[in-house]
Each structure stands twice: as C-alpha cells, then as structure tokens.
Amino acid sequence: MSDKNPVDSFFEHQTKESAAKAEEDLKLWKNWDTSGRNAQSLQPLMQRYEPLFGRKLKEWKAPAVNQAAFKAELQKQFINAAQSFNPDMGVAFNTH
C-alpha cells in the first residue's frame, strides 16, 4: 500500500500534465516560427486552442455581437500573441 497522499498524487499528475502541454505548445510554436511563420504551419497551434476560443466566445461575447466576428477577433488576438511570444523570456506560451 502506498503512503503517498492522494492530494499530492493529484498535484503531481497535474504538474506533469501541464508541463507536457507547455512542451507541446512550444514545439508547435517553434515549428511555426522556423517555417517562416506562415498561416499553414500555425494551424496545428490554433486547432489546439480551438476549445478555449469556444469557451471564451460563450463567456465574453455580448448578445448583440456577431458570433463569427467575435471569434475572428479572438483568433486575431491569438495570432498577435503568437507573433510576440518569446520563449527566451521564461514564460509558457499559454500564459503569454
């Protein structure tokens, strides 16, 4: 029987999962960056964040605002963040 506290096990798992996601984000960002920052190579990173776009669309969009226009603005801001991201600054892509 393990003497490990279940809460500690949970936090350890969450930490490992977060690190794996950050590593995958960085890999996708670097692929986009080294490919000349073209739209096609940005697609995998944007698809990875599509669920976040959907959640924020539901959370932030005012009823009178066109859904497609609001989603386009979210995607535009995501692209701006990707363009200004610098992995040498010591932050993860998802917190930039």
Side-chain angles (χ1 to χ4, degrees), residues 14-62:
Q14 290 297 103
T15 300
K16 286 179 183 177
E17 192 173 287
S18 293
K21 287 180 180 179
E23 189 175 315
E24 180 66 16
D25 285 350
L26 185 58
K27 177 183 158 198
L28 292 171
W29 181 87
K30 282 182 176 181
N31 181 56
W32 170 70
D33 190 47
T34 59
S35 70
R37 294 188 170 203
N38 64 58
Q40 185 176 2
S41 61
L42 183 60
Q43 287 307 306
L45 189 58
M46 288 194 69
Q47 288 172 349
R48 184 169 171 82
Y49 280 84
E50 188 62 35
L52 177 65
F53 298 151
R55 287 193 306 274
K56 294 307 176 186
L57 183 69
K58 290 177 185 175
E59 183 181 342
W60 293 340
K61 186 187 84 58

Side-chain angles (χ1 to χ4, degrees), residues 29 32 37 42 73-85 93 96:
W29 181 87
W32 170 70
R37 294 188 170 203
L42 183 60
E73 182 63 25
L74 287 174
Q75 291 170 331
K76 177 180 137 188
Q77 294 305 322
F78 178 86
I79 293 167
N80 289 341
Q83 290 171 336
S84 66
F85 177 67
F93 181 79
H96 172 67

